Amino acid sequence: MSDKEKLLDFEKPILELETRIQELRSAAREGGVESLFKEISELEVKLVEAQRELTERLTAWQRTQLARHALRPGAFDLATRIFDDILELHGDRSFGDDAAINVSMANLKGREVLLLGHIKGRETNERVKHNFGMAHPEGYRKVIRLIEFAESFKKPVISLIDTPGAYPGIGAEERGQAWVIADAIEKFMKLEVPTISVVVGEGGSGGALAVGVADRVYMLENAIYSVISPEGCASILFRDAIRAPEAAAAMKITARHAESLGVIDGIIEEPPGGAHRDWDDTAKRLSERLISSLEEISKMNTNERLAKRYEKFRKIGIFHEAES
Amino acid sequence: MNWFQRVRYRSRRIAKEEAVTGLWTKCLGCETMLPKNELKDNLFVCTVCGYHHRIPARQWIKLLLDPNTFEEHDVRMISCDPLEFVDEKPYKIRLDESRAKAQERDAVITGYGDIDGRKIAISIMNFEFMGGSMGSVVGEKIARLTENATRDRRHLVIVATSGGARMQEGILSLMQMAKTVGAISKHKDSGLLSISILTDPTTGGTTASFATATNLIIAEPGALIAFAGPRVIEQTIRQKLPQGFQRSEFLLGHGQLDMVVKRNEMRKTLIRIFKFVD
Ligand SMILES: [Zn+2]
């Protein structure tokens, strides 16, 4: 499948504008016709407008589609553009090595950090190898082992989240998927080093939260963060998985909603049209946020940072206390 | 997410059979017809096969605590509808209906009480209220209870039953996992004891958070305890699940529980455990 074919329906008008601009440009180069330049600049204005509108007005489901876009940069497509000297570490020391989640030493503009992120894979064989970014218990155990390692050398931890969820399978249940997620949440809550989490694509339920408790939690503009997949919610509450778009809207899974509900600390804007339109630019925006944010949280002393981290999650929730 | 449907089906089945058979009820384990009084006297455990039928949340107060020692907390806390969530029914209406049906304000009861004279904190989830699902109220009540228990130096007992995070409160529900685990972690770090009693069924975000974050984990016999429900797994792997999969005894065999304890021995067991730590 060509990259063009991988574009979503609602992206097609932008593609058409871009194609038209390109055609006119080559015609203009050959003929040098004054009127063409005028048309080109008009179209370029239209293109910017269309891209802006696209990102402004996207529905929750359209953002879900962008978050899962076949051309979207994965966590490590971004990481390799941001970090130097990436050295992967393997294994949970007890059962296996989980390729759905990568844990690496990495250098962020001169500062050593422990980097972890889901890997979904792109081509079919890669996707199978990485289990579509759905980790088993050994993946989270590897994470727990290595964040403790980072802690003992006082290195910050940065996690890039992109997972449909923790894997629902026989082996995963047998090896304590629920137990290990609770363990990971607890360990992240108490980790004595600065921590940052960014949902870069799909933030799928417990599998995301297991590596999502941090001093600063951000989302890329078109990322989603959800208690259950739209399809899962649709099949239960709307009685049909096909109604996922309605479920996505009802659950308010977009970055803007997460921010307004007090669940995340900020949104990292994507390039016009979405992260897949420009991986380098996306990486640059992410990198800037990671650097400034890391600087900010590193200023706090450990006790203060831990207290603030606890309070941040402690406060999340909306309820009412009746008079009687 | 089979359990939702199965549970609905089950409760309908119970209701129907009760109507037909009056004083008799059929055991959900072995299908023996049992006199209702006898079943009730035996704590809803089948006298023939030992099947542990679900019991109303408030019955746990009687079962575990010394008489008249329960003091309920946060009784006025209620769910609102932060997402203005509508599926086939608006969440607000579901809440009203659940309140009427369960005669409770939300899916968890919390408070202080005594067990054998020892002052403890207890939280009991209620499956009758929207499948015991965890939204903002459940998370907040458990976090508050746990923080209070830490402050007042009380051990914590959690009786869990839950379908997981409450979808109608979206991401807020997911975040209750972090909030409750954080509170329990502080409680443990204060040298206090926390014990979870997992009952049928305990699944999803509840299992993956406070219900397994405690020092010790006990389950009732035969309880379904899972991260992903059996139907989700079947749909994912497209094969039948092994016999006894995700039941208490299976989990015990896989090293995930400290023990499986019968209902009529639960209080005694808690007292034994408290003796070890104090
Ligand atoms: Zn029976």
Side-chain angles (χ1 to χ4, degrees):
Chain A
M1 197 159 53
S2 78
D3 282 1
K4 271 184 191 172
E5 286 163 23
K6 287 176 185 163
L7 289 179
L8 303 162
D9 281 343
F10 60 85
E11 296 183 275
K12 296 273 156 73
I14 285 180
L15 181 73
E16 278 160 24
L17 277 172
E18 281 178 338
T19 315
R20 181 80 189 122
I21 289 171
Q22 260 169 17
E23 283 166 6
L24 287 173
R25 275 209 184 117
S26 47
R29 258 200 306 277
E30 283 155 23
V33 191
E34 190 71 16
S35 64
L36 283 184
F37 287 114
K38 197 173 161 241
E39 197 178 336
I40 289 171
S41 56
E42 276 168 13
L43 281 175
E44 278 172 344
V45 170
K46 254 193 185 167
L47 178 66
V48 171
E49 186 65 19
Q51 280 176 328
R52 199 185 55 81
E53 207 163 283
L54 179 78
T55 28
E56 282 293 309
R57 297 212 187 142
L58 286 177
T59 64
W61 180 245
Q62 285 171 326
R63 288 197 203 272
T64 305
Q65 290 176 296
L66 283 183
R68 297 169 175 174
H69 203 295
L71 301 174
R72 190 174 177 86
F76 273 73
D77 297 318
L78 297 170
T80 50
R81 287 167 166 76
I82 297 170
F83 299 88
D84 299 313
D85 288 341
I86 296 177
L87 179 66
E88 186 178 0
L89 304 161
H90 294 272
D92 73 338
R93 297 288 192 270
S94 133
F95 182 82
D97 184 40
D98 193 334
I101 193 156
N102 177 308
V103 187
S104 292
M105 295 177 180
N107 191 286
L108 178 66
K109 302 287 173 287
R111 186 154 182 198
E112 286 299 320
V113 301
L114 189 82
L115 168 70
L116 56 100
H118 296 97
I119 301 197
K120 282 181 170 173
R122 207 163 288 278
E123 304 309 324
T124 306
N125 59 337
E126 276 179 23
R127 284 178 179 264
V128 171
K129 180 185 159 203
H130 295 289
N131 199 32
F132 304 85
M134 293 184 281
H136 281 74
E138 47 273 23
Y140 297 111
R141 291 203 172 96
K142 169 169 72 178
V143 167
I144 293 169
R145 176 176 81 80
L146 289 166
I147 62 176
E148 285 174 348
F149 163 75
E151 185 178 38
S152 47
F153 291 93
K154 298 192 166 44
K155 300 303 176 214
V157 174
I158 294 174
S159 69
L160 303 179
I161 297 168
D162 187 16
T163 179
Y167 187 66
I170 293 178
E173 294 287 321
E174 285 176 339
R175 300 193 290 279
Q177 190 73 287
W179 278 251
V180 77
I181 290 172
D183 281 351
I185 292 171
E186 182 172 0
K187 189 64 222 174
F188 270 102
M189 194 65 92
K190 299 202 290 197
L191 203 68
E192 292 187 355
V193 293
T195 52
I196 304 173
S197 277
V198 185
V199 185
V200 297
E202 278 184 279
S205 193
L209 184 66
V211 295
V213 172
D215 297 313
R216 293 287 183 273
V217 182
Y218 301 108
M219 288 174 73
L220 287 188
E221 187 181 1
N222 294 310
I224 55 168
Y225 205 172
S226 179
V227 65
I228 182 172
S229 71
E231 290 82 356
C233 175
S235 72
I236 298 166
L237 292 183
F238 297 82
R239 296 177 190 277
D240 194 343
I242 210 151
R243 293 175 70 183
E246 290 167 75
M251 288 197 293
K252 303 206 167 19
I253 62 178
T254 69
R256 279 180 207 179
H257 286 120
E259 189 181 42
S260 71
L261 292 166
V263 166
I264 58 168
D265 298 296
I267 297 171
I268 300 164
E269 278 190 18
E270 293 182 19
H276 63 291
R277 309 283 305 184
D278 191 340
W279 290 15
D280 289 334
D281 189 38
T282 307
K284 188 169 156 273
R285 291 161 189 253
L286 174 57
S287 172
E288 281 163 7
R289 183 66 62 92
L290 291 175
I291 291 165
S292 64
S293 172
L294 186 56
E295 195 178 327
E296 195 183 295
I297 52 178
S298 300
K299 281 180 194 148
M300 285 183 255
N301 70 43
T302 306
N303 287 340
E304 183 189 0
R305 204 170 45 235
L306 285 174
K308 286 199 167 153
R309 190 189 300 159
Y310 179 84
E311 271 314 306
K312 183 169 76 153
F313 288 94
R314 179 65 187 82
K315 276 192 327 220
I316 300 177
I318 300 174
F319 53 87
H320 182 65
E321 291 191 76
E323 295 297 316
S324 58
Chain B
M1 293 281 159
N2 176 0
W3 62 265
F4 251 124
Q5 282 145 6
R6 190 164 43 80
V7 164
R8 271 194 211 134
Y9 170 64
R10 243 189 216 177
S11 51
R12 264 205 306 271
R13 193 165 74 174
I14 296 171
K16 209 165 147 195
E17 273 161 13
E18 273 173 3
V20 174
T21 54
L23 297 172
W24 294 77
T25 188
K26 194 190 272 178
C27 170
L28 292 174
C30 65
E31 306 203 328
T32 306
M33 293 304 289
L34 302 163
K36 268 194 202 161
N37 281 344
E38 186 187 306
L39 189 62
K40 201 177 163 206
D41 291 345
N42 201 38
L43 309 173
F44 295 91
V45 175
C46 174
T47 43
V48 178
C49 73
Y51 184 92
H52 282 54
H53 295 85
R54 287 182 197 147
I55 55 172
R58 289 200 183 259
Q59 190 146 0
W60 281 102
I61 297 171
K62 256 191 222 152
L63 221 83
L64 297 178
L65 300 185
D66 301 345
N68 305 315
T69 59
F70 184 63
E71 166 206 324
E72 191 168 350
H73 292 180
D74 293 316
V75 285
R76 294 177 310 162
M77 198 187 297
I78 54 172
S79 296
C80 41
D81 180 16
L83 307 187
E84 298 179 341
F85 192 100
V86 177
D87 49 272
E88 293 195 320
K89 228 181 242 178
Y91 178 39
K92 276 209 170 90
I93 291 177
R94 267 186 212 274
L95 284 171
D96 286 341
E97 288 176 356
S98 296
R99 284 176 195 131
K101 178 183 148 216
Q103 293 292 303
E104 298 284 353
R105 278 182 157 163
D106 212 289
V108 73
I109 299 159
T110 59
Y112 280 177
D114 298 356
I115 294 180
D116 198 30
R118 188 178 269 95
K119 301 202 171 308
I120 60 111
I122 187 164
S123 104
I124 304 161
M125 299 187 82
N126 185 356
F127 200 80
E128 289 297 301
F129 195 103
M130 291 190 71
S133 56
M134 171 164 61
S136 298
V137 167
V138 170
E140 180 68 19
K141 282 176 90 167
I142 290 174
R144 270 193 204 176
L145 178 80
T146 307
E147 285 180 338
N148 290 339
T150 307
R151 182 195 63 205
D152 298 338
R153 308 290 306 160
R154 284 174 179 245
H155 299 316
L156 174 68
V157 175
I158 293 170
V159 182
T161 176
S162 173
R166 190 174 296 171
M167 289 173 280
Q168 290 88 346
E169 292 186 30
I171 191 73
L172 293 174
S173 299
L174 186 73
M175 293 298 143
Q176 303 310 309
M177 293 168 66
K179 175 164 150 179
T180 54
V181 168
I184 288 179
S185 186
K186 279 181 187 277
H187 184 265
K188 285 190 291 192
D189 287 347
S190 311
L192 294 161
L193 171 71
S194 50
I195 305 171
S196 266
I197 298 169
L198 308 181
T199 70
D200 184 55
T202 304
T203 64
T206 297
T207 320
S209 66
F210 63 88
T212 56
T214 50
N215 292 118
L216 298 177
I217 307 169
I218 302 173
E220 281 205 305
L224 175 76
I225 299 160
F227 173 64
R231 171 116 163 266
V232 171
I233 297 177
E234 268 177 352
Q235 281 170 350
T236 308
I237 63 171
R238 296 182 193 287
Q239 64 193 64
K240 277 269 160 235
L241 299 173
Q243 182 93 38
F245 182 62
Q246 298 179 316
R247 296 285 163 182
S248 304
E249 296 72 17
F250 178 94
L251 293 167
L252 185 72
H254 282 84
Q256 284 150 20
L257 303 173
D258 288 284
M259 57 193 113
V260 176
V261 175
K262 289 182 191 144
R263 193 169 287 163
N264 63 1
E265 289 172 2
M266 200 62 84
R267 176 176 151 94
K268 205 168 69 185
T269 306
L270 294 183
I271 293 169
R272 171 66 190 93
I273 295 169
F274 291 140
K275 187 170 147 242
F276 178 86
V277 298
D278 287 335

